[in-house]
Amino acid sequence: MVHAIRIHEHGGPEVLRWDEIEVGEPGPGQVRIRQTAVGLNYIDTYHRSGAYKLPDLPAVIGMAGTGVVEALGPDVTTLKIGDRVGYAMSIGAYAESRLIAADRLVPLPGWLDEQATAATLLQGLTAQYLLRSTYAVQPGDTILVQAAAGGVGLLLCSWARHLGATVIGTVGSEEKAELAKAHGCHHTIDYTREDFVVRVKELTNGQGVPVVYDGVGRTTFLKGLDCLRPRGLMVLFGAASGAPEPLDLGLLAAKGSLYVTRPTLATYTAKREDLMASAADLFDAVKNGGVTFTVNQRFALKDTADAHRALESRATTGSTVLVP
């Protein structure tokens, strides 16, 4: 028996319960891992609240973590007991030990810290597909990152700068502005004091940017369209402030033949080979200094409710790890 954070009903952080559960032995294609660290990601709050409904309750939530393989299913040949592994987008992370499909696990290089990787892997893989696939950032591009001091935002800033882009980022305080700048953001805009559309136009000599990366949603989406140059791309990859209102497609024509996409990490890493290629690119960026895996907040796994409260109140910056 091990402990896990489960929800028995959807709701606020108070529904997160520290339960004792039985994990069992791995079946075909599975391994059991002893978890060394668990990542906190905004999608976890959607599963908890019911914004993303789960089919069966009670359920262990959480999408990312690191650990050590301690048991193999009968047909697993790609891993061995004792391997250090990480994963993202595999629900069931909020536990001391868990079963997981072997083909969803990424072997960790020996030089990677497990806590920092758990805190950052889902966000890092998200930054990878956003910058390298959804819109392939090129040297000389100027991009806009909404919520630049968030977990994904900081990674987008540092990696995009490493790729040769000029990064404009929106933040909600002076403290967050300094953090974003420390991670590579060239120009920060405090949206509590400035109109970010006006400022973006000033910074781009009235032209706008080719791409906006928006993980905020409702409060920034429509104004973000006004930051794009003609034929620019709005990448809505999250909705921390809620989902945007339904979009009148005629606005895209009126604002310059714009494009909009709503990508997900699950789609970009659905195939094993895509997951491994994305992870390899991410780990190379870490090794080469383009991306830094850091932990800004730590909570005990049993105190996950406090971590959710901090995340949803925007009291956190960067990445957060839950320690079993």
Side-chain angles (χ1 to χ4, degrees), residues 207-286:
Q207 296 184 16
V209 296
V211 63
V212 173
Y213 293 110
D214 188 346
V216 178
R218 182 183 295 268
T219 59
T220 55
F221 177 75
L222 284 178
K223 289 185 69 175
L225 295 176
D226 292 328
C227 296
L228 288 166
R229 72 186 187 192
R231 297 168 58 190
L233 174 64
M234 167 63 72
V235 182
L236 181 70
F237 66 91
S241 67
E245 295 293 335
L247 178 64
D248 175 3
L249 294 180
L251 281 177
L252 301 180
K255 292 179 182 292
S257 301
L258 304 179
Y259 297 88
V260 175
T261 185
R262 180 59 174 92
T264 68
L265 177 59
T267 304
Y268 279 81
T269 58
K271 296 179 180 178
R272 170 71 176 170
E273 56 266 33
D274 292 335
L275 171 62
M276 295 300 289
S278 181
D281 189 31
L282 173 62
F283 295 160
D284 281 347
V286 175

Side-chain angles (χ1 to χ4, degrees), residues 107-221:
L108 299 183
W111 49 268
L112 269 181
D113 176 78
E114 291 178 15
Q115 287 194 11
T117 302
T120 315
L121 185 57
L122 189 150
Q123 298 163 353
L125 291 172
T126 299
Q128 193 279 336
Y129 85 74
L130 291 174
L131 293 171
R132 309 287 267 173
S133 296
T134 305
Y135 176 90
V137 170
Q138 302 297 317
D141 280 344
T142 298
I143 70 171
L144 174 62
V145 177
Q146 303 281 24
V152 176
L154 292 177
L155 294 172
L156 289 172
C157 289
S158 60
W159 202 344
R161 183 173 185 138
H162 188 71
L163 292 171
T166 297
V167 184
I168 304 171
T170 62
V171 296
S173 68
E174 183 59 34
E175 177 188 11
K176 291 186 175 183
E178 291 304 314
L179 182 63
K181 288 177 182 176
H183 283 74
C185 189
H186 296 84
H187 307 284
T188 56
I189 305 169
D190 185 342
Y191 56 78
T192 67
R193 298 191 295 182
E194 293 184 272
D195 184 325
F196 69 80
V197 176
V198 172
R199 187 73 179 118
V200 167
K201 290 297 180 69
E202 289 175 352
L203 290 168
T204 59
N205 297 316
Q207 296 184 16
V209 296
V211 63
V212 173
Y213 293 110
D214 188 346
V216 178
R218 182 183 295 268
T219 59
T220 55
F221 177 75

Side-chain angles (χ1 to χ4, degrees), residues 25-48:
E25 295 300 315
Q30 291 184 321
V31 302
R32 187 176 70 234
I33 62 173
R34 173 182 54 81
Q35 303 222 107
T36 51
V38 175
L40 177 70
N41 296 283
Y42 218 93
I43 191 173
D44 303 347
T45 70
Y46 301 157
H47 289 141
R48 187 211 71 221

